[in-house]
Amino acid sequence: MDLAADTVTRRGDFWAWRFVCTALSFALFGIGGIVLRVAVLPVVLAWPAPEAVRRRRARRTVGRAFWLHSQFMYRTGTVVFRFDGVERLGQPGQMIVANHPSLIDVVYLIGHVPEANCVVKHSLWKNPCMRGPVTAAGYISNDGSAEMLDRAADVLRDGQTLIIFPEGTRTTPGEDPVFHRGAAAIAVRGARVVTPVFITVVPTTLTKAEPWYSVPKRRVHVRIRVGDDIPVAAFSEDAPAPIASRRLNEHLHHLYARELKA
């Protein structure tokens, strides 16, 4: 184990090695999505079972694929990764709120909470690599409609775990996350508890302004830290839903601005 860890460290120190492994990561991600869609998920979904069971199978399969991909990035020394408090994720009716500094964080979060539902970009339904997995897993399209808010609240009331990135896009480097109120509105309607997840990626990589081939000069360190649960009732008690969601959204803004600078 010590030898393996030392090998990863030495390899990760070389920019050329990380560039090659970053290219391989992107290639494997695209190929993996197509393989899931064409060969794996049809078999997983073909086994007779109620719809809810088949959906959980599909999510576990997608989550396992994401976990393997995160392990590839770690084992090749492309990234250094740390996840604090992962054991507190996956509760029934739990809404996991996370900031979104990089494309990497989605892979790590879904890979470590495999049965969770997730609100994902509407454009992924048109992506040939991702359309199959997001459809089979029953993820929720972030199309900005009122129906989307209702569906997200329904899955929470149904006892599912829901992952949501309230910014709706990747964070601008050097700026505090700006959350849309939709996530807070969903929480007020259906969540039993809101759990904040704070993600830092240093140095920045795979932001909206950085193409995949803009590989940092030093290894990327990804840290995901689970914060304390936030009881939704504390914001919705004696207040109509619009006021409650505004209160919760403001609380999240202040919380993330403080915790990401800690």
Side-chain angles (χ1 to χ4, degrees), residues 7-21:
T7 301
V8 169
T9 300
R10 290 202 310 270
R11 285 178 175 176
D13 290 336
F14 293 102
W15 181 90
W17 171 262
R18 289 186 288 108
F19 181 90
V20 170
C21 291

Side-chain angles (χ1 to χ4, degrees), residues 95-110 117-121 142 162-171 178-180 182-183 197 199 224 256:
M95 191 172 88
I96 300 171
V97 174
N99 60 307
H100 190 18
S102 171
L103 285 177
I104 296 175
D105 50 58
V106 178
V107 174
Y108 277 100
L109 196 52
I110 294 179
N117 205 327
C118 187
V119 177
V120 298
K121 291 193 304 183
N142 186 9
L162 180 66
I163 298 172
I164 187 166
F165 298 88
E167 294 169 274
T169 187
R170 278 164 281 175
T171 313
V178 178
F179 292 167
H180 298 293
V197 173
I199 304 173
I224 303 179
Y256 275 80

Side-chain angles (χ1 to χ4, degrees), residues 181 184 235 244-255:
R181 201 185 297 178
F235 298 89
S245 63
R246 186 174 69 247
R247 288 175 178 173
L248 177 56
N249 197 54
E250 290 175 353
H251 175 76
L252 290 172
H253 271 294
H254 295 308
L255 178 65

Side-chain angles (χ1 to χ4, degrees), residues 112-125:
H112 286 78
V113 195
E115 290 194 16
N117 205 327
C118 187
V119 177
V120 298
K121 291 193 304 183
H122 182 65
S123 60
L124 291 184
W125 268 258

Side-chain angles (χ1 to χ4, degrees), residues 85-235:
V86 64
E87 69 281 355
R88 295 194 285 111
L89 301 180
Q91 305 173 43
Q94 178 187 46
M95 191 172 88
I96 300 171
V97 174
N99 60 307
H100 190 18
S102 171
L103 285 177
I104 296 175
D105 50 58
V106 178
V107 174
Y108 277 100
L109 196 52
I110 294 179
H112 286 78
V113 195
E115 290 194 16
N117 205 327
C118 187
V119 177
V120 298
K121 291 193 304 183
H122 182 65
S123 60
L124 291 184
W125 268 258
K126 300 178 182 179
N127 185 307
C129 297
M130 292 304 300
R131 182 171 63 216
V134 298
T135 301
Y139 292 152
I140 299 171
S141 171
N142 186 9
D143 57 10
S145 67
E147 290 76 15
M148 183 276 288
L149 298 179
D150 290 336
R151 184 182 172 196
D154 286 342
V155 304
L156 288 165
R157 286 193 290 264
D158 187 47
Q160 299 180 39
T161 302
L162 180 66
I163 298 172
I164 187 166
F165 298 88
E167 294 169 274
T169 187
R170 278 164 281 175
T171 313
T172 301
E175 297 184 8
D176 293 334
V178 178
F179 292 167
H180 298 293
R181 201 185 297 178
I186 293 168
V188 168
R189 295 185 190 190
R192 299 179 189 177
V193 66
V194 173
T195 303
V197 173
F198 311 106
I199 304 173
T200 55
V201 179
V202 181
T204 63
T205 187
L206 298 179
T207 65
K208 291 193 72 174
E210 295 172 308
W212 73 264
Y213 50 81
S214 181
V215 177
K217 294 181 179 180
R218 57 192 177 94
R219 275 192 300 172
V220 173
H221 288 243
V222 178
R223 185 186 180 192
I224 303 179
R225 178 168 54 92
V226 180
D228 295 331
D229 291 342
I230 302 171
V232 179
F235 298 89

Side-chain angles (χ1 to χ4, degrees), residues 13-41:
D13 290 336
F14 293 102
W15 181 90
W17 171 262
R18 289 186 288 108
F19 181 90
V20 170
C21 291
T22 299
L24 284 173
S25 295
F26 269 83
L28 289 173
F29 190 84
I31 294 170
I34 294 173
V35 171
L36 282 174
R37 176 185 178 185
V38 174
V40 178
L41 288 170

